[in-house]
Amino acid sequence: MGYCEQPRWPLNSKVDLSSGFGDVRPGRFHAGVDLRTGGKTGVRVYSSVDGYVWRIKMSYRGSGKGLYIKGTDGKIYVFYHLSRFNEEIRRAVRKAQNRAGRYYVDLYFPSDSIPVHRGQFVAYSGITGTKAPHLHFEVRSPENRPINPLSNGYSLDDRQRPVFERIGIQLVDDHSLLPYGKRRALLPVHGTGKRGNYQLDSVLYLSSPFGVLADCYDRMRQGGMRQSVYKLTLAIDGRQYYMSAFDSLAFELGPLVELEYDHKSIASGKKRVRRLFHETGNSYFGSRAFGEHGGVVGSYGEISEGLHEAVITAEDNFENKSELHFKFLWGPPAQSKPPASMSDGTLELGYQVVEDGLIVTAETTSDVFLEVYGGNQRLGSESTGRLCDDGRFRFFMPPRSEYRQVDSLVVRSIIGGQILGSLPLTLAAVGYEDNETFAVGNSIVIQGGHDNFYRPRFIAVEQVTDMPTTVELNSASFRILPEVFVTRDEFGISLALSPEAKYADRSGLCWWDDRENEWIWIDEDSRDNSRVAGPSNGGGLFASLFDIAPPTIKKLNVREGQTLKTLRPLIEFILEDDLSGIEDDRNIDIRINGQWLIPEYHPATGQCVAEPYELLKPGKCLLTIDITDRAGNRIELSRTFYVE
């Protein structure tokens, strides 16, 4: 690419984005931009630069068919979800796959093997590894770090200002609650009538250190797809306080997406709520505070009592801006204790495990405190609570090392120490040691340690009897709380199979997906006929299910005894499996006369296609298909046909 030459988009059509750089993906940031292809596959893709084919990666999931071009400028240009390569690249890939006996290959090429020039046709767009047709496009630095194309010369006709929908407040100390008994709140905002200006009508009264959340989005055209905002800046009383911008990323920092964004909002489908303060463990280099406060308001005494005005500025890459204005009154803590009184009844108690602790609710008007018990021993007490706007008394209880395993909470009256109520629960503070085990008898065992969590936290376990489906289980079912939380790395879960369990060798650990209303098989094939086990990066409902149904093959395009007028027939069929699913290409074996065929499978559609690497000899042929799912169920099929 010449020194003054404008960077070239890989499609010839007008660029329309469906996803932006830095958007949320499960467990990572979106490292590129997604270009719409009109809902179809087979759109021609062109090289953005002069260079050579540096790498090709093939898989059923994730990037699908991926092409990497190293430019003469030293940068790496990446194209994902392709349907086909040009003929020269296709031949090189098929040769390597046939030699390896695998569809999954990760190939690197020398600089003189497959040269390309700017504007050269290299592939067709597709749907491989994903569910909707589009082209994923990345630009990476010579050090293989993703950089934002829109910050590096790739232009768009974008005249749309970012849009604010809500502002959030997150308390960050170890004891405070908002007036309605929560640690966080997201409040709707509205436009002022002036283009690009938004405001929160009410003035917030705050007395405890807090961080700000911003729910906002950007799009490049009216009615276009929503993306995350490129840059957000928080200012208080005219001084910059915190800034977050997506100019570049690093793959090793991918899990930080749930710290840069608000993870609870992600789980509810609102994937563009950003934190404008430093969360413990977040080392993303695109965010920074202007001071030692880390973006937390009121943490270092830098905010004086009185009225303050804050502004959040949202900017895209093309100088379109919007502002959200809100005011807050900073003052001393409000009266948090109810009037002293006595109660002679048993209290109704409840609890909620939140990201940074436990909120305990007591239906009382008494002046009370909380005692924490484990193994019939008193572990500690919590006395900081408040009477909330709904008339309930609530405590916030942070995780402490002495609360490693809690089995009951007791509420006592401060006057006389009378027990007003107790609450049995199964709760543990985790994240203190290298290896920790949290078990409920032998039924469920959770294993992790401080390397699995960014900071110590509570995990609770509840046995569930009211199941969302009538499917037969092979174990007791348990809900791990909170159902959504941030982890540094996956932790382990194992369940004991019931004594009367059926098909133990076909059982696996499963997680219930509330949004899709289906069980997800997460077993890691560590079954020993008495337990199932697997990794998890959060809570929710877990149980052991069995899968005894083999995969099914439908719409096979070769009939018994059929004559095909080609020596390289394309084999096509639909592959379906109910629960455990197909792991990878090693579970699909397709052969003609013993010759292995490269199996191309699309999990989203079930389509499976394959063709011989070498031309067949005219005459009678035997097609065999052998497929095994992750539970070990197997289907075998054969067809005799003829080619000429």
Side-chain angles (χ1 to χ4, degrees), residues 370-494:
L370 187 70
E371 290 185 325
V372 184
Y373 286 85
N376 296 320
Q377 292 186 339
R378 185 178 182 275
L379 305 179
S381 65
E382 303 289 334
S383 59
T384 304
R386 70 173 296 157
L387 184 64
C388 298
D389 289 352
D390 60 2
R392 295 179 174 90
F393 197 80
R394 288 185 174 88
F395 296 93
F396 175 69
M397 180 173 129
R400 306 185 194 278
S401 59
E402 55 266 33
Y403 297 161
R404 297 296 180 88
Q405 193 136 351
V406 176
D407 53 36
S408 67
L409 302 174
V410 173
V411 174
R412 291 182 182 269
S413 171
I414 288 181
I415 301 175
Q418 177 187 0
I419 294 179
L420 303 180
S422 63
L423 176 68
L425 75 169
T426 304
L427 180 76
V430 297
Y432 290 95
E433 299 178 358
D434 290 342
N435 297 295
E436 298 170 325
T437 299
F438 175 31
V440 180
N442 188 48
S443 299
I444 179 171
V445 177
I446 299 172
Q447 292 183 306
H450 63 65
D451 287 343
N452 299 92
F453 308 101
Y454 288 103
R455 60 181 177 185
R457 62 162 307 107
F458 279 130
I459 291 178
V461 174
E462 297 177 346
Q463 188 166 349
V464 177
T465 56
D466 184 16
M467 299 298 293
T469 64
T470 57
V471 66
E472 189 172 359
L473 304 181
N474 257 0
S475 71
S477 57
F478 293 91
R479 191 179 303 278
I480 296 176
L481 300 171
E483 295 201 36
V484 178
F485 56 88
V486 178
T487 60
R488 188 193 302 269
D489 197 5
E490 294 175 328
F491 57 92
I493 301 173
S494 72

Side-chain angles (χ1 to χ4, degrees), residues 5-9 148-156 318:
E5 203 166 20
Q6 180 77 13
R8 187 195 196 284
W9 287 104
N148 191 338
L150 305 185
S151 302
N152 289 271
Y154 285 83
S155 62
L156 293 172
F318 305 103

